[in-house]
């Protein structure tokens, strides 16, 4: 059966100039298409996301992931994605920026299996997947301590525990970037070794508005 004409990633690809200042390359189109196809296939038997179509995955997962790009610094950086799930936001960021060194942490078995399959599908052998809870992995693999420029997280469980755990992975001056928006009055109280600020990213052409909590490790 032919795929419905509307079930494509074209809406997502048309957003590239507004987000990245350039059009999607043929390689990016191919890679994101294969990513979406694999996610749709896995969703038939595993509940990795509530989004079931390629178009919704493009709008709801890929596009949202690239909003992190606006907040991240330029240049080669080492990034840790905590609670990566189906690879969001880390894999889309890596696909548009090959200079980004990416490590994914996920505690659930099915998403980890999907991530390994995705990395094989997209030929991304340089991306690392760790199965387990971030607070346990740092104990089992102490070589990861203080190795990352940026730690990324979605807006789940924002609070002192997440901040303190992220700081263990961060270099001095590194940052936790957590997508929101939680209410600002719910901002975690931090010690003096970390500073917190809110960054609001608005892309009027796309009707997008997103807040990020950015915590700098000042150890």
């Amino acid at each position: 059966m032919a795929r419905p004409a509307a079930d494509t990633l074209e809406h997502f690809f048309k957003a590239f100039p507004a987000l990245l200042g350039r059009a999607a390359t043929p390689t990016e189109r191919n890679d994101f298409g294969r990513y979406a196809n694999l996610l749709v296939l896995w969703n038939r038997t595993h509940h990795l996301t509530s989004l079931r179509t390629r178009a919704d995955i493009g709008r709801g997962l890929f596009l949202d992931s690239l909003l992190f790009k606006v907040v991240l610094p330029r240049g080669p950086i080492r990034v840790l994605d905590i609670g990566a799930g189906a690879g969001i936001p880390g894999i889309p960021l890596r696909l548009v920026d090959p200079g980004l060194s990416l490590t994914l942490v996920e505690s659930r078995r099915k998403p980890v299996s999907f991530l390994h399959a995705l990395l094989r599908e997209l030929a991304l052998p340089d991306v690392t997947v760790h199965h387990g809870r971030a607070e346990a992995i740092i104990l089992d693999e102490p070589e990861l301590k203080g190795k990352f420029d940026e730690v990324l997280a979605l807006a789940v469980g924002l609070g002192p525990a997440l901040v303190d755990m992220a700081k263990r992975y961060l270099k001095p001056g590194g940052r936790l970037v957590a997508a929101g928006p939680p209410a600002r009055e719910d901002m975690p109280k931090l010690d003096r070794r970390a500073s917190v600020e809110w960054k609001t990213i608005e892309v009027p052409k796309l009707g997008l508005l997103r807040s990020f909590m950015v915590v700098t490790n000042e150890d």
Side-chain angles (χ1 to χ4, degrees), residues 40-160:
V40 168
L41 178 63
W42 274 64
N43 260 340
R44 293 174 183 171
T45 52
H46 308 288
H47 185 72
L48 297 176
T49 172
S50 61
L51 304 177
R52 299 294 177 176
T53 69
R54 294 161 184 82
D56 286 344
I57 288 168
R59 286 189 292 263
L61 296 181
F62 296 166
L63 187 58
D64 202 51
S65 295
L66 294 192
L67 287 174
F68 278 83
K69 181 70 174 169
V70 183
V71 184
L72 296 180
R74 295 182 178 181
I77 55 174
R78 190 169 183 182
V79 172
L80 177 71
D81 183 353
I82 293 178
I88 303 300
I91 295 294
L93 291 168
R94 170 63 177 76
L95 292 180
V96 300
D97 184 0
L100 186 149
S101 176
L102 178 64
T103 298
L104 305 170
V105 169
E106 173 55 48
S107 62
R108 297 166 295 165
R109 179 180 58 81
K110 287 180 181 179
V112 167
S113 297
F114 171 77
L115 290 173
H116 284 298
L118 178 64
L119 297 184
R120 290 192 297 269
E121 174 70 19
L122 299 180
L124 296 175
D126 56 317
V127 176
T128 304
V129 179
H130 293 272
H131 182 193
R133 299 181 63 83
E135 56 268 33
I137 289 171
I138 196 70
L139 299 177
D140 296 335
E141 302 183 53
E143 67 275 9
L144 295 176
K145 185 176 181 180
K147 294 297 184 182
F148 295 92
D149 301 293
E150 306 282 319
V151 170
L152 309 183
L154 298 177
V156 290
L158 291 184

Side-chain angles (χ1 to χ4, degrees), residues 163-186:
V163 173
D164 291 342
M165 182 269 296
K167 286 170 59 182
R168 300 172 71 182
Y169 286 94
L170 287 168
K171 299 175 181 178
R175 305 185 309 165
L176 165 66
V177 180
R184 293 198 180 198
E185 57 266 23
D186 294 333

Side-chain angles (χ1 to χ4, degrees), residues 184-203:
R184 293 198 180 198
E185 57 266 23
D186 294 333
M187 183 187 301
K189 295 181 180 179
L190 307 177
D191 62 33
R192 287 177 292 180
R193 293 174 296 172
S195 62
V196 61
E197 62 177 320
W198 286 89
K199 292 182 179 291
T200 300
I201 304 301
E202 185 174 9
V203 188

